[in-house]
Structure formats: structure tokens, C-alpha cells
Amino acid sequence: CYTKNDSVLIVVWPLPQLGLNPLDSICINESIQLQMSRTQTYQWDADPTLSATNIANPVATPTVTTRYLVTGTSSLGCVNRDSTLIFVYFPSAIQITPQVAFVCLGTPVQLNVTGAYTYQWQADPTLSATNIANPVALPQDTTTYFVTATNIHGCTTDDSVTLNVP
């Protein structure tokens, strides 16, 4: 009677590291390029808001917060899945006062906009400041003042107010 030994070498290949950003955000009507790396082939789950499903970096244009799923396969045939969550934010509803005003020549008018985080008025020499919510306007003739309001997510809303000088 004799004993025979044998061995088998098992090589465990690591799963591919997909390198996907776990979450990101955009404003409505914007696009974002999803960034994949470190695998040989990619297959995104079908979604009509993706520019393609079989490339590393498709462009996504979601209209609501969406999770995108991807399967990556390494050159050794190992498969891994990952996902990213894209938050979709909407611009703030802003209010601007006065809505439409008739003012006498030489009369200062306090403008005021509310509902966002920061405000940027279009440059106009008759405004006391362009980067505050409540500049004072001193129009010399009928003037429309334009403002861009930005919320905490970076989404912008544009509005305007017209001061009529008879």
C-alpha cells in the first residue's frame, strides 16, 4: 500500500474595480458624463436617458433622480456590478418686487428678489450693487433689470423687473 499526493493550484482573480463615482448631481435639463475605468467591457442597464449602454462613459440626461447600474468584465472574464445615483435638482421659484412699477425720474426704487441662495443682477450703472438680493435702482428712463438666482444646488432661475419712467 502506498500513498500518493497530488495538488491543484487555484488562482483567484480579483473582481474588476469599476471606479464609478457613487453619486453626483445635476440640475434639470443638464447632462452628466458617467465615468468608468479599469475594466475591459461595460454594459449599462438599459435606460432611455443614457447616450449608449455599451461604452465606458455614456452621457446621462435624467429628468428625475436616477440610479444607473453597470456590469464590468475584466480581460480575465471576472464580472462585477456597480451603480451611481444621479440626483436631479430643480431651480428655485423666485419672487421679485416690485413686479411692474411706475416711478418718477430721480426716485430710487428698492428692488428685492427672494427664494434662492445667491443673486446676480445684470450689470447696470443705475443699480447700487449687482450681487445682492435687494439693490436700489435709480432709472433715468424705462429700464428692465435682469437677475439670475442660484439655489444651494447650483440651479439657476432668470427673472426681470421693469421700472417705467414716464
Side-chain angles (χ1 to χ4, degrees):
C1 180
Y2 65 92
T3 304
K4 192 172 189 180
N5 290 330
D6 201 356
S7 65
V8 174
L9 176 63
I10 299 176
V11 177
V12 178
W13 298 106
L15 292 176
Q17 298 298 313
L18 300 180
L20 186 62
N21 189 5
L23 56 98
D24 217 328
S25 64
I26 61 172
C27 297
I28 190 71
N29 298 323
E30 291 181 349
S31 297
I32 186 169
Q33 187 164 26
L34 304 180
Q35 299 290 323
M36 288 292 300
S37 62
R38 299 184 236 145
T39 63
Q40 187 170 354
T41 63
Y42 310 89
Q43 185 61 51
W44 295 87
D45 285 2
D47 189 300
T49 64
L50 285 178
S51 62
T53 59
N54 61 348
I55 62 174
N57 303 316
V59 174
T61 312
T63 56
V64 296
T65 297
T66 303
R67 180 171 299 279
Y68 294 97
L69 303 169
V70 65
T71 301
T73 305
S74 72
S75 59
L76 302 169
C78 298
V79 176
N80 198 2
R81 285 189 54 84
D82 202 355
S83 68
T84 184
L85 184 62
I86 306 298
F87 290 94
V88 177
Y89 294 105
F90 294 82
S92 298
I94 61 172
Q95 288 188 313
I96 190 168
T97 55
Q99 287 297 322
V100 176
F102 289 91
V103 297
C104 294
L105 183 63
T107 303
V109 177
Q110 181 82 53
L111 302 179
N112 192 41
V113 62
T114 59
Y117 185 64
T118 63
Y119 306 95
Q120 184 63 51
W121 294 86
Q122 185 177 10
D124 188 298
T126 64
L127 280 179
S128 63
T130 58
N131 61 348
I132 61 175
N134 54 353
V136 174
L138 189 59
Q140 300 303 305
D141 53 25
T142 297
T143 305
T144 301
Y145 297 96
F146 298 92
V147 65
T148 298
T150 306
N151 67 18
I152 60 172
H153 302 293
C155 302
T156 60
T157 303
D158 296 321
D159 205 348
S160 65
V161 61
T162 299
L163 300 180
N164 294 293
V165 178

